[in-house]
Amino acid sequence: MPVSLTPNAITAINDGDVNLKPLLQVLEIKMIGRSQERSQERYRFLISDGVSAQHAMVAVQLNDRVKSGQVEKGSIVQLIDYICSDVKGRKLIVVLNMETIVPHSETIGNPTIFGETDTEAQKPLSAVGNIPPPNRVVFNEPTAQHSVNRAPPRGVNIQNPANSTPSFRPSVQPSYQPPASYRNHGPIMKNEAPARVIPIAALNPYQGRWAIKARVTAKGDIRRYNNAKGDGKVYSFDLLDSDGGEIRVTCFNAVADRFYDVTEVGKVYLISKGSLKPAQKNYNHLKNEWEIFLESTSTVELCPDEDGSIPRQQFSFRPISDIENAENNTILDVIGVVTSVNPSVPILRKNGMETHRRILNLKDESGKAVEVTLWGEFCNRDGRQLEEMVDSAFHPVLAIKAGKVSDFSGKSVGTISSTQLFINPDFPEAHKLRTWFDHGGKDTASFSISRDTMPGGVSRNEIRKSVSQIKEEGLGRSDKPDWITVKATISFIKTDSFCYTACPLMIGDKQCNKKVTRSGTNRWLCDRCNQESDECDYRYLLQVQIQDHTGLTWITAFQETGEEIMGCPAKKLYALKYELEKEEEFAEIVRDRLFHQYMLKLKIKEESYGDEQRVKMTVVKVDKMNYTSESKYMLDLLVR
Amino acid sequence: MDTSSPSVFVNGALMRRYVGQKVRTVIQVIGSDIGSVVGKSTDDLQIVVRGSSPTPPLTTYLEVIGIAESDNAIRAETWTNFGNSFGTHNYNELCKLANGEFKHLFI
């Protein structure tokens, strides 16, 4: 069947035409491998107009067309929505929407790769690539009638390849539009026209200018951090657009200050300019391989006239029975009826900070139930509300957006910072569940996919080991540190050096605590703060020998745990030993701390000092023996 | 250790097995009279302990060693205050194990 490709289409596209809707042939399809393992794959085409050929990136939402074979090598396609951007002097076409016209065809003509054009000369022309969106009437009167901002629903006129080719020709737009009103500004002029609104799914780092219209679905708090480069703050928010595309936006420092108050959850914004970087999959669960970093030139404008075409939230609820087979750390949405809520309990985090935890049970129509762990703020805010409801014999529906699956004991779902909870939400899934629960679901037994708490009141994520097991099992040798609990007695405490001089200055809301050195007369210099202070703090750095019935080992205790072990602040001990020189009294205190039994939570990690590998054991929590719970623990070992 | 006169760990229910023999148990004191103390065993049964009770005050929990007179009464020889907090569940389990699976370990 004779199909003619649109002549000179490649040149026209490179000159900035986005309305041509040309017929082009796909000569090559290549999957672009991504370094990040979880990122989405992307396809690159080599497209030809019969004379010239050029590479084109294909927006990820079109990946299915390639996978399903709708587009393959040789296919003739009509580009419906596309842009051409300038990346490091090279033109790159990005295909946002296309239709297959002829599934298979021999190569037409003898195309050659489109050469490097004189990019300088092209500049004013390429600007047309970013046609203003139609709602910006001021700028685009001349172009309004052929705007392609919203491409017609796919395949308006072309679905049947058997249809003779000319039938869709009328839809083809004039091949080239001169630049709009700003052409008077001279040949080399920055393009001041607003960027074109594109779907979030079409965003990629190769576009120079873009704009997206999206609703803020979640917004994080401003977080302060401190790293090698110094202090800073960061916050991020999540966007959802009318095509269901989602992406996270991150702002640092001044940019964060500028946009934090502007962005409000639930509102729709027009966002433009900013760089795209690979998404940090550890923190970012959104279905997008990119993340937007806003810059000082970025704009975030409220769209007051939003029409509700963008959903408030996008859920993809998974039945609880699915969670049973979900991998650890999977982020997913789940909805269920809350059957019980436990009280909030304080928990010591691995980094030594205290937080709160509250466990509740959720069940759904799949006949399974799961434990949901609320952390930190969720415990108080939403947790209390849920607890009150359940206490008054009402079982609310709870929708969890972005909960994290944990496989520690059975499967459970926990909150992360970007999790959102919706109590008795007003959407169909919730109403369906409510109906199910009220009409029998309440009384059906659900099998819990979470294991019940370990007996003996022992915290469930406590791994009990004996001292000799640490060595025998090679703890700390894997990538991650091992966290274990030993029941042991302190048999020796090193006293020649038990503390260090610490920087008392505050960094943000935390004390610096880095080691300070004496400078001049009684001044203390901190390398990190690069400041001197009159006084220094004394913090424990304590070497302690512990033993149980299997053996003995050395552990290190820092400030908080050190104070727990010694029973008094390091400063007091230091003064006693070095300033008051009361050696006897000092020795007495130390002696008094020996031969007490504790439950010690240890962090074990092998570290290298030069060529030497040493297993480092740090106490993160010291608990006095609770004989009742320990007896119960041992009893349970006996009867198990 | 004096093994000449062993005493068996019992809770309320196990008493009947050892009537006439020497037992030891821990009770939660409910009330005391002259010459006797009424208490609750770790398995929630009432036990009367006779004999010259120690000088008050009694703590909440009390260990007594003596002869089981019946399935709910003991003539006590030794009284020990066990304080105001005690893991009754654990003690009860201990009694069961000491008279069951691990009887051979106890004299």
Side-chain angles (χ1 to χ4, degrees), chain A residues 627-633 635 638-639, chain B residues 85-87 89-90 93-94 97 101-102:
Chain A
Y627 292 101
T628 305
S629 61
E630 184 59 13
S631 302
K632 193 157 190 291
Y633 170 78
L635 257 175
L638 269 180
V639 297
Chain B
S85 111
F86 184 70
H89 169 80
N90 290 331
E93 293 302 309
L94 166 70
L97 291 173
E101 197 182 345
F102 298 99

Side-chain angles (χ1 to χ4, degrees), chain A residues 149-212:
Chain A
N149 178 35
R150 277 263 142 261
R154 67 174 69 130
V156 230
N157 41 9
I158 327 101
Q159 261 313 346
N160 187 358
N163 243 336
S164 60
T165 338
S167 68
F168 50 80
R169 273 297 154 89
S171 75
V172 169
Q173 306 283 324
S175 68
Y176 173 67
Q177 295 293 325
S181 55
Y182 41 83
R183 71 175 143 179
N184 308 342
H185 295 313
I188 300 177
M189 183 65 206
K190 204 172 165 202
N191 183 359
E192 300 290 348
R196 212 161 79 93
V197 172
I198 61 170
I200 286 179
L203 284 174
N204 66 62
Y206 314 110
Q207 288 153 321
R209 290 157 48 83
W210 48 262
I212 51 171

Side-chain angles (χ1 to χ4, degrees), chain B residues 20-89:
Chain B
Q21 292 179 50
K22 198 169 190 179
V23 294
R24 82 165 67 200
T25 194
V26 174
I27 56 164
Q28 184 182 341
V29 177
I30 295 171
S32 56
D33 221 330
I34 299 159
S36 79
V37 171
V38 178
K40 192 173 75 173
S41 71
T42 53
D43 52 348
D44 277 344
L45 296 172
Q46 187 165 308
I47 291 182
V48 181
V49 187
R50 286 186 251 278
S52 49
S53 61
T55 43
L58 296 177
T59 57
T60 310
Y61 294 97
L62 194 63
E63 188 197 45
V64 291
I65 302 174
I67 306 294
E69 291 184 324
S70 71
D71 55 6
N72 64 358
I74 298 173
R75 176 154 299 277
E77 297 157 10
T78 313
W79 306 72
T80 313
N81 271 328
F82 259 27
N84 296 320
S85 111
F86 184 70
T88 51
H89 169 80

Side-chain angles (χ1 to χ4, degrees), chain A residues 543-561:
Chain A
Q543 300 295 322
V544 179
Q545 193 187 53
I546 57 166
Q547 73 180 62
D548 70 359
H549 61 286
T550 62
L552 58 85
T553 192
W554 284 93
I555 56 170
T556 304
F558 291 102
Q559 179 66 359
E560 289 77 13
T561 48

